[in-house]
Amino acid sequence: MGILVKCARHLCLRMNKPFLDYGDTVMYGLECSPSSWIRSHSHWGRHIVDFFLIVTQLGFCCVYFVFLADNFKQVIEAANGTTTNCHNNETVVLMPTMDSRLYMLAFLPFLVLLSFIRNLRILSIFSLLANVTMLVSLVTIYQFILQRIPDPHHLPLVASWKTYPLFFGTAVFAFEGIGVVLPLENKMKNSQKFPCILYLGMTIVTVLYISLGSLGYLQFGAAIKASITLNLPNCWLYQTVKLLYSIGIFFTYALQFYVAAEIMVPVIVSRVPEHCTLLVDLCVRTAMVCITCVLAILIPRLDLVLSLVGSMSSSALALIIPPLLEVTTFYEEGLSPLTIAKDVLISIFGFVGFVVGTYESLCELIFPSHSNTSTNSTSAFI
């Protein structure tokens, strides 16, 4: 992320541009390459970035469908057994309800309507609401998992090495947010302070991921479900937490969808008569939301799809492209051997993760190694 911001600032000055997004930065960076072939095909840099951004953002949207369905399904099934005793994680007799895929269909029209909002200022209000509900939920989850942690000596300390490629894709997917870095920097009153804000924000996110993942594993053990909210007791407090988190995810869907829509919709709308633009705009948005819903319904192991998307697109956006961009952008001005070595190592690391993670995800999707094919994909988000 820091490399991308550095390259974008440099190219803004060189091209006399007030702002460059990720795709423009890559395109202009390739135009600085010493290779004439790369310079003549620099526009492909923008297309590649746009493709990976669309795949990543719509991948998030698929995960959100599963999260909403699973949490609402559990809350409704446990409605008869919900108690006021929040100290014991009692097993209750669940009331059978409709399949989780029907819950996804139930959410579809509401998410379609939400996707019609094209004003980022209005979406920021939803973002604030989502942040508040998620913060309240996180605080409540932390206070539960910190209570009476069982003796961890029987838990495996290290997972099988075969799971590391899937972990790579999941982790990169969870941290990947490089597509919004440049728009955020552009909106800052004092953009020179952005690197400090970036590193502080990512440090907080890292601490949250590691602490919540570790403490959740210690509290619930190997039987932990794919979403930590699904492990909470069936009492009114934690059922409310599930609903609050689901509300936050519901509104966050629009923000994740916004990036993909801003790339795809203008391209299609520009090809139709002016009097049809609004109708086509809404139809394209509806189709995109429906696609994310259909993928969430059809694929039983979305956790693997999440890992696949992380390995394939997120690793390219976050680990492979930025270091190579730095080499092409500053090649003519001279780069130290240490900087070149750093960029090469990061790109190689990303490429190895790209190949191995994608291969393992596809193999697990086609030939599942265990019978639990209903596990959802929200573990990476949580």
Side-chain angles (χ1 to χ4, degrees):
M1 290 179 180
I3 290 173
L4 178 63
V5 171
K6 175 184 174 183
C7 293
R9 287 178 175 176
H10 180 82
L11 291 169
C12 280
L13 293 175
R14 177 182 291 187
M15 303 295 175
N16 196 25
K17 300 276 187 179
F19 168 73
L20 294 176
D21 61 19
Y22 196 168
D24 287 334
T25 301
V26 172
M27 182 177 69
Y28 289 125
L30 293 178
E31 289 181 0
C32 300
S33 170
S35 170
S36 60
W37 186 88
I38 293 179
R39 290 196 302 270
S40 62
H41 293 81
S42 60
H43 61 281
W44 279 102
R46 159 171 279 286
H47 299 326
I48 291 172
V49 169
D50 287 347
F51 170 77
F52 285 136
L53 282 174
I54 291 170
V55 171
T56 299
Q57 298 306 125
L58 293 185
F60 271 118
C61 293
C62 291
V63 173
Y64 290 176
F65 261 107
V66 179
F67 183 93
L68 289 168
D70 284 351
N71 279 271
F72 265 84
K73 184 175 187 293
Q74 190 186 68
V75 169
I76 294 174
E77 286 183 343
N80 288 341
T82 299
T83 68
T84 57
N85 183 5
C86 294
H87 298 290
N88 296 319
N89 193 359
E90 300 175 353
T91 301
V92 299
V93 178
L94 299 180
M95 177 182 65
T97 64
M98 59 185 181
D99 188 275
S100 61
R101 290 169 289 188
L102 295 178
Y103 281 92
M104 296 181 197
L105 289 175
F107 279 110
L108 178 59
F110 300 101
L111 290 172
V112 167
L113 292 175
L114 196 63
S115 71
F116 288 167
I117 301 175
R118 294 172 290 174
N119 190 320
L120 197 56
R121 189 177 298 275
I122 297 176
L123 289 179
S124 67
I125 299 175
F126 290 127
S127 175
L128 176 62
L129 177 61
N131 287 335
V132 171
T133 58
M134 289 183 181
L135 178 60
V136 173
S137 301
L138 273 177
V139 171
T140 309
I141 292 172
Y142 268 107
Q143 68 85 24
F144 175 79
I145 61 178
L146 285 170
Q147 298 177 26
R148 295 176 293 177
I149 295 178
D151 185 356
H153 76 275
H154 65 282
L155 295 175
L157 182 62
V158 181
S160 168
W161 65 270
K162 292 183 179 180
T163 64
Y164 277 67
L166 300 180
F167 165 75
F168 170 84
T170 304
V172 174
F173 189 101
F175 279 99
E176 203 282 306
I178 199 167
V180 299
V181 167
L182 294 181
L184 283 174
E185 187 221 13
N186 183 53
K187 295 295 182 181
M188 285 189 65
K189 185 176 181 179
N190 186 354
S191 60
Q192 298 302 317
K193 295 182 179 180
F194 181 76
C196 295
I197 300 297
L198 172 63
Y199 299 137
L200 174 63
M202 293 307 294
T203 299
I204 294 173
V205 169
T206 303
V207 171
L208 285 175
Y209 272 131
I210 294 176
S211 61
L212 191 60
S214 301
L215 292 171
Y217 179 55
L218 292 175
Q219 178 65 245
F220 301 114
I224 189 170
K225 297 178 182 177
S227 166
I228 197 169
T229 56
L230 299 177
N231 297 271
L232 298 176
N234 293 308
C235 74
W236 66 270
L237 176 62
Y238 299 113
Q239 297 293 69
T240 304
V241 166
K242 296 172 188 177
L243 293 176
L244 281 175
Y245 224 120
S246 297
I247 291 172
I249 292 296
F250 177 83
F251 289 123
T252 306
Y253 181 99
L255 295 172
Q256 301 293 352
F257 181 84
Y258 179 86
V259 177
E262 284 297 295
I263 296 174
M264 294 186 65
V265 172
V267 175
I268 299 175
V269 168
S270 64
R271 300 175 183 271
V272 300
E274 187 174 350
H275 66 277
C276 298
T277 54
L278 179 59
L279 178 61
V280 173
D281 185 310
L282 299 180
C283 289
V284 172
R285 291 173 183 272
T286 301
M288 290 173 66
V289 177
C290 289
I291 288 172
T292 61
C293 181
V294 169
L295 289 174
I297 290 173
L298 292 180
I299 303 175
R301 294 283 309 274
L302 267 182
D303 56 330
L304 296 178
V305 176
L306 185 149
S307 179
L308 174 64
V309 172
S311 299
M312 183 177 68
S313 62
S314 297
S315 62
L317 290 172
L319 296 174
I320 300 175
I321 295 177
L324 298 179
L325 176 64
E326 183 177 34
V327 173
T328 59
T329 300
F330 295 98
Y331 179 83
E332 294 181 354
E333 301 176 22
L335 284 173
S336 67
L338 186 61
T339 301
I340 295 176
K342 174 207 65 173
D343 290 337
V344 170
L345 287 175
I346 294 175
S347 292
I348 290 175
F349 174 74
F351 184 75
V352 171
F354 173 93
V355 174
V356 179
T358 301
Y359 174 79
E360 287 294 330
S361 298
L362 289 174
C363 287
E364 187 68 19
L365 272 173
I366 299 171
F367 309 107
S369 60
H370 55 80
S371 59
N372 183 18
T373 59
S374 61
T375 304
N376 68 43
S377 64
T378 51
S379 56
F381 177 82
I382 296 303

